[in-house]
């Protein structure tokens, strides 16, 4: 595919332009055009996405626009946060080149939850979702060991891990009933709000405690 | 609304090495992708949900999201997620008096991680004990939210974060340092090695790989988060900080005592730049501020002809291309004659504004004593 700006070189990366009211427009461009737009494009609302692969190099069957699992969280083009670039990017660049020198095959595995590729994690040190830690547990262990000189968390947790949001919900329900019984409406109001928020976040059909306990 | 900004007061004592410190914990919530792996719509929805849950904890967060533009040049906000990296759904909350924490608290929702809690303080005013206390207070504050927010974590790896380098405690302490003396003697490489030896890192803030960070501004931070907890990390960093400050002070005194002629060259060049430069890049401005601060710190600037106050070294941040706003530029260049080409091309326009600001704010002459000494 030719660059959509100069129409001369092969396109290697993609730029995004947010058009008010029209959503996101994609432009496939060459390195040189991308660099120029990176320097001056911001004023015109153009963002350069750091894509590690060219659109033609995508593994077969992978559609960059959709998460493999069709998750409702959707998938948006990877764009490393600045922290990754200035503090850690260099280091991970070195790490990943060490890995490939050691004969490690570029792995095309992706996280079923968020679509993050192992290859991207190795290149950037950035995970896609909490589930990635489980899916790629073995692959990231050497990275973590290299970074930390240890493989297991030696720090402290805040509170004992709650068994589940559901349990917390039950506990809140009981506390709320207690508060209503004592006619402590201020506390009841706070607990009710907490209950509702937690219930929404769990997305469950847990019945809200009823009762008219004042405003 | 005016927020307390303790980074701006002028230093009263000589020497400005430790500029500011940021204590931060990042946390993520179980069951959703990290912010930049969500669609814009999902991120916006999740952001609202998270804010509601925070408010359910009876926290009186002030939501600054709708006024972010106005806060872009607030020194604290500049150390948080940069404007160009904020994704749709990014929200910034502020707590002036967080329970159990003796400094204001910033909470970012849907930055690089779902949540980031920061306390930012003027590092010059922090005693070693203050460091420990702030880290501990912030940790306790974040821990108290855990029952309601259900943070993503595992027994094996601790708190799970977007960056592999934060996983574990999710804690990062950053201290901004002005190291003009150590940089002058080319000692930053040694410093970096020494930091690595103490399991710390120094960000020299430049991609060229050379040891010349713009403005001699470096960031010292804990590079690891898996092995230790936040307070242990803080102690390590804080001890190392003490030795950096001693070495930087020695290096500055050495320039003055052993190389006065070199120092004269540095400040004379600065004066020339102030006189003739029409356009200045952010990095050049940082360098000029650095030279100016070094000169001020070493007492070589004439008390009779110098700015009434010392512009904070961190000012350079305000004047980078991302934060320097059009209205400020227009203000600065109100009466300046500028060719249309400069006026209509933002990078040049901002560069011209920076040069004007610098001329207005750094104008000085050299103390006669120093000149005599340097020429001897
Ligand atoms: Zn092109
Ligand atoms: Zn994932």
């Amino acid at each position: 595919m030719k660059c959509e700006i100069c129409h001369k070189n092969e396109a290697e990366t993609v730029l995004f332009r947010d058009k008010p009211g029209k959503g996101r427009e994609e432009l496939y461009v060459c390195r040189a055009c991308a660099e120029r737009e990176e320097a001056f494009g911001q004023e015109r609302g153009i963002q350069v996405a750091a894509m590690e692969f060219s659109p033609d190099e995508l593994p077969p069957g992978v559609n960059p626009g959709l998460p493999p699992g069709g998750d409702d969280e959707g998938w948006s083009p990877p764009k490393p946060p600045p922290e990754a670039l200035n503090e850690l990017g260099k280091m991970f660049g070195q790490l990943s080149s060490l890995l490939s020198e050691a004969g490690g095959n570029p792995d095309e595995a992706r996280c079923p939850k968020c679509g993050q590729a192992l290859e991207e994690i190795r290149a950037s040190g950035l995970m896609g979702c909490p589930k990635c830690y489980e899916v790629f547990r073995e692959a990231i262990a050497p990275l973590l060991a290299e970074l930390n000189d240890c493989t297991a968390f030696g720090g402290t947790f805040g509170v004992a891990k709650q068994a589940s949001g559901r349990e917390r919900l039950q506990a809140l329900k009981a506390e709320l009933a207690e508060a209503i019984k004592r006619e402590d409406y201020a506390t009841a109001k706070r607990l009710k709000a907490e209950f509702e928020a937690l219930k929404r976040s769990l997305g469950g059909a847990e019945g809200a405690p009823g009762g008219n306990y004042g405003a | 609304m005016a927020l307390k900004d303790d980074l701006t007061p002028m230093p009263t004592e000589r020497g400005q090495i430790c500029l500011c410190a940021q204590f931060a914990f990042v946390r993520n919530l179980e069951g959703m992708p990290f912010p930049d792996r969500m669609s814009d719509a999902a991120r916006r929805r999740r952001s609202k949900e998270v804010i509601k849950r925070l408010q359910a904890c009876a926290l009186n967060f002030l939501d600054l999201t709708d006024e972010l533009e106005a806060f872009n040049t607030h020194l604290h906000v500049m150390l948080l997620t940069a404007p160009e990296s904020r994704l749709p759904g990014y929200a910034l909350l502020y707590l002036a008096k967080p329970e159990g924490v003796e400094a204001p608290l910033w909470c970012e929702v849907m930055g690089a991680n779902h949540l980031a809690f920061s306390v930012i303080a003027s590092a010059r005013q922090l005693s070693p004990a203050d460091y420990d206390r702030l880290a501990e207070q912030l940790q306790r504050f974040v821990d108290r939210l855990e029952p309601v927010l259900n943070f993503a974590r595992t027994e094996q790896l601790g708190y799970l974060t977007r960056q592999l380098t934060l996983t574990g405690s999710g804690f990062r302490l950053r201290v901004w340092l002005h190291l003009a003396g150590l940089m002058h003697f080319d000692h930053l490489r040694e410093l970096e090695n020494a930091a690595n030896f103490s399991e710390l890192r120094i960000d020299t803030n430049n991609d060229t790989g050379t040891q010349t960070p713009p403005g001699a501004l470096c960031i010292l931070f804990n590079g690891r988060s898996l092995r230790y907890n936040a307070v242990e990390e803080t102690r390590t960093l804080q001890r190392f900080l003490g030795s950096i400050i001693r070495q930087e002070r020695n290096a500055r005194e050495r320039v003055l005592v052993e190389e006065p002629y070199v120092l004269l060259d540095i400040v004379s060049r600065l004066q020339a730049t102030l006189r003739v430069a029409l356009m200045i890049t952010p990095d050049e401005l940082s360098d000029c501020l650095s030279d100016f601060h070094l000169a001020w710190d070493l007492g070589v600037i004439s008390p009779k002809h110098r700015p009434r106050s010392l512009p904070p070294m961190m000012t350079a941040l305000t004047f980078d291309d991302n934060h320097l706003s059009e209205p400020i530029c227009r203000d600065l260049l109100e009466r300046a004659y500028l060719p249309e080409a400069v006026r209509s091309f933002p990078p040049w326009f901002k560069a011209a504004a920076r040069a004007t600001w610098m001329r207005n704010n750094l104008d000085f002459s050299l103390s006669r004593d120093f000149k005599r000494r340097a020429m001897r």
Side-chain angles (χ1 to χ4, degrees):
Chain A
M1 179 178 189
K2 292 276 180 231
C3 168
E4 293 183 84
I5 292 181
C6 66
H7 302 289
K8 247 170 36 203
N9 307 327
E10 275 305 307
E12 277 182 79
T13 185
V14 62
L15 301 178
F16 297 101
R17 177 159 39 196
D18 286 320
K19 287 205 159 170
K22 281 190 178 167
R24 196 160 245 211
E25 181 187 67
E26 288 184 7
L27 277 178
Y28 289 90
V29 299
C30 70
R31 247 333 123 201
C33 288
E35 270 163 26
R36 197 180 52 247
E37 292 304 323
E38 192 162 26
F40 303 116
Q42 237 170 39
E43 310 294 335
R44 300 198 292 277
I46 293 178
Q47 277 184 313
V48 177
M51 282 183 87
E52 260 92 47
F53 39 77
S54 82
D56 304 325
E57 282 169 352
L58 282 179
V62 175
N63 179 349
L66 285 173
D71 190 71
D72 79 320
E73 298 299 349
W75 185 94
S76 51
K79 182 175 151 236
E83 172 167 30
L85 293 178
N86 48 26
E87 285 175 13
L88 316 162
K90 281 175 269 176
M91 193 163 63
F92 275 105
Q94 286 160 10
L95 269 182
S96 67
S97 65
L98 279 177
L99 280 174
S100 46
E101 274 167 32
N105 236 354
D107 204 331
E108 286 174 7
R110 279 174 186 267
C111 168
K113 173 87 184 155
C114 70
Q116 180 87 329
L118 179 56
E119 187 62 10
E120 291 170 62
I121 293 172
R122 285 197 169 137
S124 65
L126 298 175
M127 307 298 275
C129 74
K131 180 95 179 161
C132 286
Y133 279 94
E134 196 185 312
V135 178
F136 301 124
R137 194 164 41 123
E138 277 168 32
I140 61 170
L143 287 174
L144 278 170
E146 175 88 10
L147 281 165
N148 291 283
D149 275 343
C150 74
T151 51
F153 182 43
T156 43
F157 286 113
V159 291
K161 176 89 174 164
Q162 68 193 84
S164 71
R166 299 254 162 244
E167 269 184 32
R168 174 68 187 151
L169 215 53
Q170 288 301 329
L172 276 172
K173 201 168 165 180
E175 281 176 52
L176 180 52
E178 250 329 286
I180 295 170
K181 222 153 100 192
R182 312 193 289 275
E183 301 188 12
D184 178 358
Y185 297 129
T187 306
K189 190 177 169 187
R190 185 176 58 79
L191 290 169
K192 170 96 170 157
E194 198 176 314
F195 180 91
E196 294 292 344
L198 183 57
K199 194 184 70 173
R200 257 194 311 278
S201 76
L202 292 170
E206 184 73 40
N212 176 14
Y213 53 90
Chain B
M1 187 189 59
L3 300 181
K4 189 166 158 276
D5 183 347
D6 58 356
L7 307 184
T8 37
M10 305 311 160
T12 46
E13 79 274 35
R14 269 167 44 127
Q16 199 192 21
I17 296 168
C18 248
L19 305 176
C20 88
Q22 178 191 20
F23 300 76
F25 280 93
V26 310
R27 290 288 183 266
N28 290 283
L29 306 180
E30 206 59 85
M32 52 175 120
F34 296 135
D36 83 330
R37 305 291 301 182
M38 291 186 205
S39 68
D40 287 355
R43 199 184 313 104
R44 282 200 189 94
R45 184 164 49 79
R46 293 295 201 175
S47 176
K48 288 213 182 83
E49 214 177 279
V50 171
I51 293 173
K52 278 215 190 93
R53 275 159 81 179
L54 282 170
Q55 266 147 1
C57 303
L59 296 174
N60 282 321
F61 276 118
L62 206 58
D63 191 340
L64 305 180
T65 313
D66 294 336
E67 322 160 61
L68 268 178
E69 276 289 300
F71 288 105
N72 278 346
T73 51
H74 187 279
L75 262 174
H76 291 194
V77 176
M78 279 190 295
L79 307 182
L80 306 175
T81 305
E84 74 274 17
S85 306
R86 293 176 195 149
L87 300 166
Y90 172 85
L92 181 62
L93 311 176
Y94 177 78
L95 253 182
K97 289 201 169 73
E99 201 188 322
V101 186
E102 58 197 88
L105 186 142
W106 300 92
C107 173
E108 296 179 89
V109 182
M110 301 295 155
N113 289 275
H114 296 145
L115 286 162
F117 302 90
S118 296
V119 160
I120 297 165
S122 169
R124 261 175 290 120
Q125 290 154 9
L126 294 182
S127 72
D130 292 336
Y131 277 89
D132 279 14
R133 214 174 49 251
L134 273 174
E136 213 175 330
Q137 289 176 351
L138 184 59
Q139 166 125 48
R140 257 193 251 122
F141 180 91
V142 175
D143 284 351
R144 274 200 299 274
L145 300 175
E146 181 144 15
V148 187
L149 289 168
N150 197 18
F151 296 140
R153 72 186 219 197
T154 67
E155 281 304 317
Q156 169 79 9
L157 296 179
Y159 294 97
L160 305 179
T161 61
R162 167 128 170 89
Q163 304 91 335
L164 274 177
T165 44
L166 272 174
T167 286
S169 61
F171 174 71
R172 182 136 299 163
L173 170 55
R174 290 187 182 86
V175 180
W176 275 257
L177 297 162
H178 179 220
L179 301 179
L182 289 170
M183 193 176 96
H184 176 81
F185 289 111
D186 218 0
H187 284 171
L188 289 189
R189 174 76 67 194
E190 277 98 326
L191 184 65
E192 232 175 303
N193 291 341
N196 282 336
F197 194 72
S198 300
E199 307 196 8
L200 299 167
R201 291 189 190 290
I202 294 216
D203 184 3
T204 44
N205 210 13
N206 61 334
D207 305 321
T208 54
T210 58
Q211 296 296 304
T212 48
L217 269 181
C218 298
I219 306 173
L220 175 70
F221 64 101
N222 63 310
R224 295 161 189 206
S225 50
L226 197 56
R227 190 190 282 246
Y228 303 108
N229 69 30
V231 174
E232 290 165 335
E233 291 281 1
T234 302
R235 273 188 203 137
T236 307
L237 188 139
Q238 188 275 117
R239 265 197 304 274
F240 190 72
L241 200 57
S243 104
I244 295 187
I245 293 171
R246 271 194 308 280
Q247 291 181 50
E248 170 65 19
R249 181 107 320 273
N250 286 345
R252 289 188 189 186
E253 294 297 334
R254 247 184 83 196
V255 187
L256 181 66
V257 175
E258 295 174 15
E259 305 184 346
Y261 192 70
V262 175
L263 186 57
L264 179 63
D265 177 63
I266 293 172
V267 285
S268 303
R269 280 162 186 270
L270 173 60
Q271 283 182 305
T273 305
L274 288 174
R275 241 187 338 267
V276 302
L278 298 177
M279 298 200 278
I280 292 272
T281 66
D283 285 0
E284 279 179 282
L285 173 63
S286 296
D287 288 342
C288 290
L289 268 169
S290 172
D291 292 343
F292 178 82
H293 271 258
L294 184 67
W296 182 296
D297 182 32
L298 293 174
V300 304
I301 288 179
S302 159
K304 286 190 204 111
H305 176 204
R306 66 178 193 191
R308 220 168 304 155
S309 55
L310 184 59
M313 186 65 215
M314 302 290 277
T315 302
L317 292 176
T318 325
F319 281 85
D320 77 11
D321 273 339
N322 293 324
H323 296 100
L324 186 54
S325 69
E326 291 285 331
I328 292 177
C329 290
R330 268 199 306 279
D331 250 24
L332 282 166
L333 295 170
E334 204 191 335
R335 270 164 304 164
Y337 165 76
L338 289 179
E340 190 44 40
V342 175
R343 221 170 257 289
S344 59
F345 187 54
W348 289 355
F349 189 63
K350 289 182 178 182
R354 266 191 294 273
T356 307
W357 177 86
M358 219 171 67
R359 218 179 332 279
N360 295 344
N361 287 279
L362 299 188
D363 191 26
F364 69 95
S365 54
L366 289 171
S367 96
R368 213 169 289 165
D369 273 1
F370 168 68
K371 263 202 257 182
R372 214 173 297 132
R373 196 162 134 202
M375 297 302 294
R376 201 157 48 211

